[in-house]
């Protein structure tokens, strides 16, 4: 069974709150001993460019700690932002729901 940790941000991730989002996400990555970091985007309405930068930095930080970093439950409108920026190929967007994570 894989070690999994799930972080669930919500609302809008933009210039106004990127610092808080980054601090929470990095703390989550640093404080978990789990191998797999999953970010559940079910409650995220919008991500702007500054939010994308935070996610790329978090992805790199997870990799530096030899952890895997995935996004899931990404809405179609938010997913389009990832596709336009071509970060969907980098960030590991997965097409499953939280119940799938419970299966070993």
């Amino acid at each position: 069974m894989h070690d999994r940790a799930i972080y669930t941000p919500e609302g809008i991730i933009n210039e106004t709150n990127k610092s808080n989002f980054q601090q929470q996400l990095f703390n989550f990555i640093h404080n978990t001993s789990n191998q797999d970091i999953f970010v559940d985007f079910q409650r995220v309405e919008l991500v702007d460019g500054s939010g994308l930068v935070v996610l790329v930095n978090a992805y790199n930080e997870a990799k530096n700690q030899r952890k895997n970093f995935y996004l899931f439950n990404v809405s179609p409108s938010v997913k389009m932002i990832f596709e336009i920026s071509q970060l969907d190929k980098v960030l590991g967007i997965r097409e499953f729901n939280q119940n799938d994570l419970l299966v070993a």
Side-chain angles (χ1 to χ4, degrees):
M1 181 172 179
H2 291 283
D3 289 330
R4 298 177 177 125
I6 301 172
Y7 175 72
T8 307
E10 53 185 68
I12 297 172
I13 302 169
N14 60 17
E15 183 68 34
T16 303
N17 62 10
K18 74 173 183 181
S19 296
N20 187 43
F21 174 62
Q22 179 170 309
Q23 181 179 12
Q24 290 177 0
L25 185 53
F26 273 58
N27 285 342
F28 185 79
I29 292 168
H30 292 148
N31 293 327
T32 185
S33 61
N34 298 65
Q35 180 66 33
D36 292 331
I37 307 292
F38 287 89
V39 181
D40 183 351
F41 259 65
Q42 181 176 354
R43 297 181 185 153
V44 174
E45 301 167 30
L46 178 69
V47 177
D48 75 359
S50 60
L52 294 177
V53 170
V54 170
L55 288 168
V56 170
N57 290 339
Y59 169 86
N60 288 329
E61 184 62 25
K63 291 298 176 191
N64 287 340
Q65 293 190 24
R66 299 180 184 208
K67 296 177 182 180
N68 300 310
F69 186 87
Y70 307 101
L71 306 177
F72 72 106
N73 283 337
V74 179
S75 72
S77 59
V78 172
K79 188 173 182 181
M80 187 176 3
I81 295 167
F82 288 114
E83 290 171 348
I84 290 170
S85 64
Q86 298 184 350
L87 289 176
D88 58 318
K89 295 171 179 60
V90 175
L91 292 177
I93 297 175
R94 299 291 185 247
E95 300 292 333
F96 48 69
N97 62 43
Q98 194 161 352
N99 291 333
D100 294 333
L101 297 177
L102 300 176
V103 178

